Amino acid sequence: MSRPEQPAELKLVFDEPVQRKKVPQHLADFSPAERKDFAKELGLPGFRSTQVSAHYFGHLDTNPDSWSDIPADMRSTFAEMFTPKLIELVRSITCDNGMTRKDLWRLHDGVLVESVLMRYTDRTTVCVSSQAGCGMNCPFCATGQAGLTRNLSAGEITEQIVASARACASGELPGGPTRLSNVVFMGMGEPMANYKAVMRSIRNITDPHPDGLGISARSVTLSTVGLVNGIEKLTEEGIPLTLAVSLHTPDDELRDSLVPINSRWKVKEVLAAADAYAEKTGRRYSIEYALIRDINDHTWRADLLGRLLKNRNAHVNLIPLNPTPGSKWTASRKEDEAEFVRILESYGVATTVRDTRGREIDGACGQLAAAEIANS
Ligand code: SAH
């Protein structure tokens, strides 16, 4: 049966599958003004939502017993109304002497997603999921293999971040209490395909207390396969995030298969959209490039990429492929990786090779959730 006509442009990427059980509403789903309206709809004065926001974002405190500015007999009701628990920890796995921790979360409808917390000497970063599964179908990515289950709500995304901030503040990571300083949208999902909820989450991260966590926009990285309409919308918002584009090869021919959405938006269009973002925000963007042995690590590709990027405000982040179960692809040989870096640098393109934190704990996108589903 043929599907009814829909506006062509967004159909491909902004469609959600069949609506499931509704995710409970949470104050993190709303802007500060909407939170006040939400309180009023519940028959409360608007300032109550500001009080709860201050506990949630300012003090990372979801235990209503300690909300002393709220009448004792109303605290648990307020907590249920404004901050229902949206994610439940299934398990955590750590490596790097506890400095990397992967958390597997169960959502209210049983769906599983993961986040990864990484402590470095100068910063602590959480990598969050924006969707359960992913519809982008990149063949080297574990998340892509099972397709998209559903978009996460802003509350579900924000809860991963607030839980991580709390873990940092309460000293759960070795080295004592610290502040969560960076957030990267590099977990499960394509953030640009869940634009509204991701933008709300970004505001929750960057808004100052009591409305948000007060983390600098520069410390937030949004990684995308290159949904040009999403990059353009982001440019209009003008928030100076770090934009990361998953390019993986400079030529359309191979990119059509490595990043299938390339059949919709070609390399040139994606780079033009990223350039416009850099122009508007003054922020250099990153090009992500998973190096896959004998697939995209040829010297001529490094040359082509160097030529493409030499006059752009971009740097390259090479990621040694983390092989996914059942795939015949593997990481590049060390000498090919080094040659790739050398060629890019010969064009004056700043290049880094990503550290491979979390490999032992299925750190690559979607691998822990995939393993859990396979074992259940
Ligand atoms: N959907 C977004 C964000 C998710 S993943 C995006 O594609 O950008 C974050 C990065 O990890 C992306 O660059 C993605 O291509 C890369 N990645 C996914 N699977 C990988 C693997 N097995 N090995 C190395 N990098 C991988």
Side-chain angles (χ1 to χ4, degrees):
M1 203 175 74
S2 68
R3 296 184 63 186
E5 268 309 300
Q6 290 183 25
E9 192 193 3
L10 299 186
K11 183 171 159 241
L12 200 59
V13 289
F14 289 109
D15 258 11
E16 244 194 289
V18 189
Q19 194 58 51
R20 301 159 164 249
K21 229 174 16 169
K22 250 185 152 307
V23 180
Q25 289 193 310
H26 190 285
L27 65 80
D29 294 325
F30 304 117
S31 69
E34 291 165 347
R35 288 172 198 163
K36 291 203 170 104
D37 295 340
F38 182 54
K40 286 176 196 155
E41 273 168 35
L42 296 168
L44 300 169
F47 75 87
R48 291 298 190 196
S49 70
T50 313
Q51 289 177 312
V52 179
S53 293
H55 293 298
Y56 184 72
F57 289 115
H59 305 290
L60 310 170
D61 182 3
T62 45
N63 175 9
D65 298 341
S66 61
W67 296 356
S68 55
D69 53 351
I70 292 168
D73 59 342
M74 291 160 84
R75 289 177 197 162
S76 60
T77 316
F78 278 24
E80 272 165 42
M81 290 192 303
F82 290 110
T83 56
K85 198 172 171 199
L86 300 180
I87 64 173
E88 191 191 338
L89 188 64
V90 178
R91 62 197 165 94
S92 298
I93 308 178
T94 58
C95 66
D96 304 320
N97 297 320
M99 300 300 245
T100 302
R101 183 175 105 182
K102 182 148 180 162
D103 292 325
L104 181 68
W105 305 102
R106 184 179 291 110
L107 310 182
H108 81 289
D109 53 359
V111 166
L112 298 174
V113 296
E114 56 200 37
S115 62
V116 184
L117 191 53
M118 292 158 283
R119 184 168 191 170
Y120 301 89
T121 44
D122 59 341
R123 66 188 190 282
T124 302
T125 302
V126 66
C127 173
V128 294
S129 295
S130 57
Q131 298 182 311
C134 184
M136 296 297 119
N137 206 22
C138 304
F140 55 89
C141 171
T143 304
Q145 306 321 301
L148 176 64
T149 302
R150 69 169 171 86
N151 278 336
L152 301 195
S153 69
E156 289 169 325
I157 299 169
T158 304
E159 284 259 90
Q160 296 168 56
I161 302 159
V162 169
S164 303
R166 196 182 305 120
C168 290
S170 61
E172 285 177 29
L173 300 179
T178 188
R179 197 181 74 90
L180 180 71
S181 57
N182 293 66
V183 180
V184 299
F185 286 84
M186 290 188 181
M188 300 168 80
E190 167 49 43
M192 289 294 191
N194 185 14
Y195 188 86
K196 230 177 130 207
V198 166
M199 277 324 296
R200 181 68 258 146
S201 312
I202 289 173
R203 303 272 182 202
N204 293 340
I205 298 165
T206 57
D207 278 354
H209 298 167
D211 297 330
L213 292 170
I215 294 174
S216 130
R218 294 166 161 261
S219 308
V220 179
T221 301
L222 189 151
S223 177
T224 176
V225 285
L227 303 189
V228 166
N229 54 356
I231 299 174
E232 287 171 350
K233 277 207 264 181
L234 186 67
T235 303
E236 280 163 35
E237 318 250 2
I239 312 174
L241 306 173
T242 301
L243 176 67
V245 174
S246 297
L247 200 68
H248 302 312
T249 190
D251 57 303
D252 285 318
E253 198 186 345
L254 177 60
R255 196 166 191 270
D256 281 347
S257 58
L258 285 185
V259 185
I261 197 69
N262 197 66
S263 59
R264 174 70 180 80
W265 286 292
K266 298 295 174 197
V267 170
K268 256 192 178 157
E269 296 169 87
V270 175
L271 292 180
D275 288 342
Y277 181 77
E279 177 87 4
K280 172 85 182 266
T281 57
R283 299 283 295 147
R284 185 168 80 160
Y285 58 93
S286 359
I287 294 293
E288 286 172 282
Y289 199 112
L291 277 174
I292 313 175
R293 184 181 296 187
D294 300 330
I295 299 290
N296 65 353
D297 61 357
H298 314 89
T299 53
W300 71 264
R301 285 202 158 89
D303 261 308
L304 184 56
L305 186 63
R307 280 204 297 280
L308 266 183
L309 298 182
K310 69 177 179 200
N311 293 319
R312 300 189 126 99
N313 193 9
H315 84 279
V316 175
N317 194 7
L318 297 171
I319 319 168
L321 184 83
N322 192 357
T324 55
S327 166
K328 52 184 187 303
W329 288 345
T330 186
S332 298
R333 296 168 198 89
K334 279 292 148 198
E335 61 270 25
D336 294 340
E337 179 186 292
E339 183 61 3
F340 211 91
V341 173
R342 193 195 63 72
I343 295 172
L344 286 174
E345 286 179 342
S346 75
Y347 286 91
V349 175
T351 306
T352 46
V353 179
R354 169 145 355 133
D355 85 308
T356 49
R357 275 276 183 117
R359 287 268 145 134
E360 312 91 288
I361 53 170
D362 294 336
C365 183
Q367 290 188 358
L368 182 63
E372 181 75 16
I373 290 162
N375 293 335
S376 63

